[in-house]
Each structure stands twice: as C-alpha cells, then as structure tokens.
C-alpha cells in the first residue's frame, strides 16, 4: 500500500460508542415495554388521563381511515418509526411501529400513540379529565370513543351482509343476495360428502364448551380442492347460506377476495377475531398465501393470538402448489375434500337438474328424459361449469330463434307425455346442444377456462359497493386544520380552529396522511395548505 493511501485517523468524531448502547439494551434486567411506555408517557403528559387499548380489539386508525374520525400524524413534537414499501404501479406504502397522532372524534380531541409491542399494536390514548375525574381514573370521553369503535366494528346480529376484504373491508349486499339463492339442492355432489361438510361446520359452532373442556383451541379449517368448475364455489355459498338463521343468531361470513401483503393478512385476521365466531373464506388460497406472505399467514393462524371461533374454508384448483405447511398440517387446515370432475352418473343428474328447473320455469321446449343420458355420454371430461355453459348457451341459441320463449299460460311443461320412439335429432334442444358441446370441447382443447367467467351484473354490483365504502381520503378540512399547538396544550383547546395554519411561518406540502413531504435540506412541519 502506498504511503499516500494509508488510513487517516479521524479525531473529530463523537466519543459515543454504539456498542455501549447495544450492551446497555441487551444486558439489563428483564423488562415489560408496555409498563415502561405507560410510565414514560405519564411523565410526558402529567395533566392528561391515559387509557390503553389494543388495536386488535378497537382500532382507532381504522375508524379514522373509514372517515368516522381524523388522525393526523404529528412529527412536530415526536419522532416516528416507519418502513416504506413498494406496492407496484409506482405507488409506495408505509407501516409505522411508533407514531403519535392528533385525533379528533366529533367535537372531542385526543392524543394517541400507536406503538408496536411484540406481536401487539398498543394504543395509548390521552384525554383531559372531565369534572369528577382524575388523571388516574377512567376517562368517560375515551370510553365513549372505544364503545363507538366497538359498535362500528361489530355488526348487529340481524345484519344481512357478507363481509368482503379486497384491500380493505366492506359489506356486500350483492354477495349476500347471491349466497341466499345458493342451496345444497343445487350442488351435484356425493350425499355423504355433503353431510360431512355441513355436519363438521355446524358441529364446530355448537361445540365451544367441548373444545374448552378438552383444553384445545376452538378453531378449525378445511380445504376444498379439485379441477376448476366442479362445485367448490357453490358449496361455499351453500355453507354461508346455512349460517343465516331466522332467529337472529347469524354466524357472519367473511370473504377474502385478495390479500397481497402481510398487512392485508393482518387486517383479515384482526377482523375475524373481532367478529368471531365466524366463517372465514379464502377462495383460491394459492393466490392469497404466497411465498412473501406464507410465514406471516402461518403465524396469524397458529401464533400467540387467540383465534377461537374461527372456522376457515379455503379452496384451490392446485393443491399440489400449496406449501405442505398449509395443506398437510392439521392445526391449520384439518381436512381436505376433493371436488373431482363429474362421472357419467353425476353428469346425468346435472342434466336432470336442468330439466326440472326448466319445468318449474314453464319454458316452452321439449326436453325428454332420454336427452339427459345422451348428453352425459358426450360430455366426458366436462366440469360442472362446462355443463352449465352447455345449457345456458344452448337455451340462448334457441331463444334467439324464437320470438317468445316463456309462456306463463302454458298448460304443458317440459318433457310432458311419453318420450315415444322419436329420434333424438327430432328435438331442437338436442340439435343445438350437440353444436354447443362441440364448441365447448374445442375450448377445452384450447385450454380456455370458462369457470372464471363472472356474472357481469354481480361483478358491477360488488365493484359499486366497494367504491361506495372505500376509506375516505383526508382533505384540508380534517384535523390538519386544527392547531397542533392547541392540541398539545389541552387547557387551551378551542371549539373553532383557524382556517389557515402556518407553524413558524412555514408552509409545506403534505401527503394524503398529512405527513410532510420531505426533500432537500429543509426541515418540514405541518401546515393545512398544499402547494401546487
């Protein structure tokens, strides 16, 4: 090494050594971080009453995110620990493990610290005592907030919704209406298997005391697997429908449409715990539990938190692609049920189902019983989804050739009278059906998956419900327009806040969460104005 390249001793550095901090943290007495934080926060706000609440019981930020309160991140007086994530499509997300919020609910103001303590998210809520209260007594206004959030999170027993998670939770009446039409009578499935599935679920919800006496967690899970389009989805809907009871003791159904990230998985199980006992559904679970979320999912299923009362139903078309820890470990999913391609007898039963259905609807078309057997013979390898498409496409083709398909005054019904000795080709239904089945067979050879086709009206209704219940975006009329100085001094809180706020004469741009947008060498603080 050349002399000019020798290391130079820097003598102007701080004398502090990080190693000392490391030793101090790791060699101290056993501690409880929650106890320490409560003591430290009481010293910081000696004139305010402190209430501690778990986020998995009452979630203050979710309540604000839904537009029912406002929570403004405060980095003027407090630091924040956060991690940024790339979410795709040029968007970035953020998680915070230590943060202070200026919280407003109705006309009431609070200071809230949200801190991750181990597996739990703790919420430290400060509020000035009311008359007759002290800083060490219970706080009535904080209790009112907790009750309001609890009622918001928990639906009334007669609430007729299905709860859907797709980036956030929303209630779907459209899915509820679909579920209410689903019946086990519409499912062509081995009768013994039907009884096993329904019996297992209903026995679970009626057996809380048995699980408790045995000292085992009151939770179960099943997986429906098999080729696409063979009754997994309609069986799930029939299960959900069986839980809607007229006596008001309805078991809620929670349907997970997508959960791409670990915080999505967390939100799913938090809601399930809020609403237990409940039915938690993961349709196409192989798209929900991925390599990046698998370990987190396992921890939520059988980690430290209490999952009592949660009955999970998952479905997949690709059992072989599931991690063995998901599909083969009893404490997660205890049983698996195969939904295979229908055999000839099941295909015939499905055709008879359609014959009876058209008869009930009084559709003017000849449909002798012998068509059922003939159709079953030429649909080998068809799933129930393909069989349904064969009937729908056939009937639409016939309807297109007629001016009127339905006749409410008809005396004769489908298949009335003896089939006689007529040839199958004498029947319009059979002629059209053969064409349709050939076309579908070509689709199968081209590997076209018609089982993923979704009813347009239902899809639109679900999208509208999701949009209508989307979390409200914060505007400049939210808590950011309240004076942080006033919020930091409870004795000077006022009912009216200034329309325009500048701190230390600075105006800065803020993001949708009202956190300053940081750049350059500036030190940013809150403002209620956004620069263009």
């Amino acid at each position: 090494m050349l002399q000019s390249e020798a290391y130079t001793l820097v003598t102007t550095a701080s004398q502090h050594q990080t190693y000392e901090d490391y030793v101090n943290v790791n060699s101290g007495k056993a501690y409880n971080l929650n106890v320490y934080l409560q003591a430290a926060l009481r010293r910081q706000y000696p004139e305010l009453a402190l209430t501690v609440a778990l986020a998995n019981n009452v979630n203050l930020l979710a309540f604000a995110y839904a537009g029912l309160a406002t929570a403004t991140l405060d980095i003027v007086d407090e630091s924040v620990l956060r991690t940024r994530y790339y979410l795709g499509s040029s968007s970035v997300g953020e998680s915070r493990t230590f943060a202070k919020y200026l919280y407003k609910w109705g006309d009431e103001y609070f200071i809230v610290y949200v801190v991750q303590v181990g597996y739990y998210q703790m919420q430290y809520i400060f509020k000035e005592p009311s008359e007759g209260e002290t800083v060490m007594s219970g706080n009535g206004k904080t209790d009112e907030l907790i009750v309001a959030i609890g009622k918001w999170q928990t639906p009334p027993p007669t609430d007729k919704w299905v709860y859907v998670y797709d980036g956030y939770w929303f209630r779907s009446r459209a899915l509820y209406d679909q579920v209410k039409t689903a019946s086990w009578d519409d499912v062509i499935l081995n009768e013994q298997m039907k009884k096993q599935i329904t019996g297992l679920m209903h026995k679970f919800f009626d057996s809380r005391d048995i699980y408790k006496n045995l000292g085992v967690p009151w939770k179960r899970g099943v997986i429906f697997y098999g080729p696409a389009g063979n009754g997994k989805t309609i069986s799930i809907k029939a299960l959900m429908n069986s839980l809607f009871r007229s006596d008001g003791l309805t078991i809620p159904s929670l349907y997970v449409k997508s959960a791409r990230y670990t915080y999505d998985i967390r939100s799913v199980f938090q809601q399930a715990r809020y609403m237990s006992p409940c039915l938690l559904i993961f349709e196409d679970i192989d798209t929900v539990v991925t390599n990046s979320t698998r370990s987190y999912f396992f921890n939520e299923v059988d980690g430290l938190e209490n999952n009592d009362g949660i009955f999970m139903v998952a479905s997949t078309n690709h059992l072989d692609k599931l991690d063995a820890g998901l599909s083969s470990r009893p404490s997660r999913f205890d049983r698996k049920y195969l939904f295979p391609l229908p055999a000839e007898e099941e295909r015939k039963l499905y055709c008879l189902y359609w014959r009876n259905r058209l008869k009930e609807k009084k559709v003017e078309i000849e449909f002798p019983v012998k068509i059922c057997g003939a159709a079953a013979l030429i649909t080998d390898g068809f799933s129930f989804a393909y069989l349904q498409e064969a009937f729908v496409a056939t009937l639409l083709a016939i309807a297109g050739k007629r001016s009127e398909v339905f006749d409410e005054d008809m005396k004769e019904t489908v298949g009335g009278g003896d089939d006689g000795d007529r040839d199958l080709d004498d029947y319009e239904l059979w002629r059209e059906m053969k064409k349709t089945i050939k076309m579908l067979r070509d689709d199968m050879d081209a590997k076209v998956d018609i089982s993923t086709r979704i009813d347009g009206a239902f899809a639109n209704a679900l999208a509208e419900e999701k949009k209508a219940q989307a979390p409200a975006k914060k505007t400049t009329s939210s808590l950011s327009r309240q004076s942080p100085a006033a919020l930091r001094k409870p004795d000077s809180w006022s009912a009216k806040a200034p329309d325009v706020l500048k701190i230390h004469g600075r105006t800065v741009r803020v993001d949708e969460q009202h956190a300053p947008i940081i750049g350059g060498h500036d030190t940013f603080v809150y403002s209620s104005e956004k620069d263009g």
Side-chain angles (χ1 to χ4, degrees), residues 154-416:
T154 307
T158 56
D159 207 358
K160 300 301 183 184
W161 307 93
V162 172
Y163 293 80
V164 180
Y165 188 85
D166 189 10
Y168 54 86
W169 284 105
F170 64 97
R171 297 180 297 182
S172 174
R173 184 68 190 219
L175 185 52
Y176 170 80
D177 290 339
Q178 275 217 344
V179 166
K180 287 299 291 181
T181 65
S183 168
W184 283 112
D185 294 335
D186 299 331
V187 181
I188 308 300
L189 191 65
N190 180 283
E191 288 299 321
Q192 184 178 359
M193 186 166 155
K194 283 185 188 180
K195 291 179 181 178
Q196 285 180 356
I197 294 171
T198 55
L200 180 67
M201 185 185 71
H202 288 285
K203 187 179 294 185
F204 168 81
F205 287 120
D206 293 335
S207 302
R208 180 175 188 172
D209 291 340
I210 295 176
Y211 279 82
K212 183 178 179 180
N213 292 336
L214 292 173
V216 295
W218 183 38
K219 61 174 186 172
R220 294 214 73 167
V222 298
I223 295 179
F224 295 169
Y225 72 100
N230 285 304
K232 296 187 292 294
T233 297
I234 191 172
S235 295
I236 289 174
K237 289 179 179 178
L239 273 179
M240 294 163 70
N241 189 18
S242 69
L243 293 175
F244 290 111
R245 292 163 51 175
S246 58
D247 58 9
L249 299 176
T250 295
I251 301 294
S253 295
L254 283 66
Y255 172 82
V256 181
K257 187 176 181 183
S258 67
R260 297 176 59 191
Y261 304 103
T262 55
Y263 59 79
D264 291 315
I265 301 294
R266 179 67 174 167
S267 296
V268 165
F269 279 93
Q270 280 184 330
Q271 186 72 8
R273 293 176 190 122
Y274 294 148
M275 302 184 70
S276 67
C278 66
L279 179 65
L280 180 59
I281 300 146
F282 297 95
E283 190 164 15
D284 296 322
I285 193 171
D286 44 297
T287 66
V288 175
V289 183
T290 62
N291 289 336
S292 61
T293 62
R294 181 178 60 237
S295 296
Y296 198 89
F297 182 89
F298 291 166
N299 184 63
E300 289 291 331
V301 171
D302 52 14
L304 295 178
E305 297 205 49
N306 188 340
N307 288 331
D308 277 2
I310 300 177
F311 189 96
M312 297 187 298
V313 177
S315 70
T316 179
N317 300 334
H318 309 286
L319 184 67
D320 57 314
K321 293 183 180 180
L322 292 184
D323 185 275
L326 187 69
S327 61
S328 302
R329 181 167 172 174
S331 66
R332 291 164 183 162
F333 290 94
D334 310 284
R335 296 191 185 179
K336 298 185 287 289
Y337 293 95
L338 172 63
F339 287 70
L341 288 170
E344 181 182 335
E345 182 60 27
E346 291 168 329
R347 296 196 300 273
K348 183 176 180 180
L349 287 173
Y350 188 78
C351 294
L352 288 169
Y353 163 79
W354 268 93
R355 183 176 184 272
N356 294 333
R357 184 176 179 180
L358 296 178
K359 185 175 181 179
E360 291 172 1
K361 297 286 186 181
K362 297 184 178 180
V363 178
E364 186 183 0
I365 189 169
E366 290 184 290
F367 193 162
V369 173
K370 62 184 179 183
I371 286 182
C372 296
L377 284 172
I378 64 172
T379 52
D380 182 46
F382 272 40
S383 66
F384 285 118
Y386 268 92
L387 289 172
Q388 175 177 289
E389 184 67 14
F391 276 98
V392 172
T394 296
L395 293 171
L396 288 175
I398 293 173
K401 298 178 181 179
R402 300 184 179 185
S403 59
E404 184 177 16
V405 175
F406 294 95
D407 184 354
E408 298 295 334
D409 298 324
M410 279 187 61
K411 303 290 184 182
E412 295 294 323
T413 58
V414 175

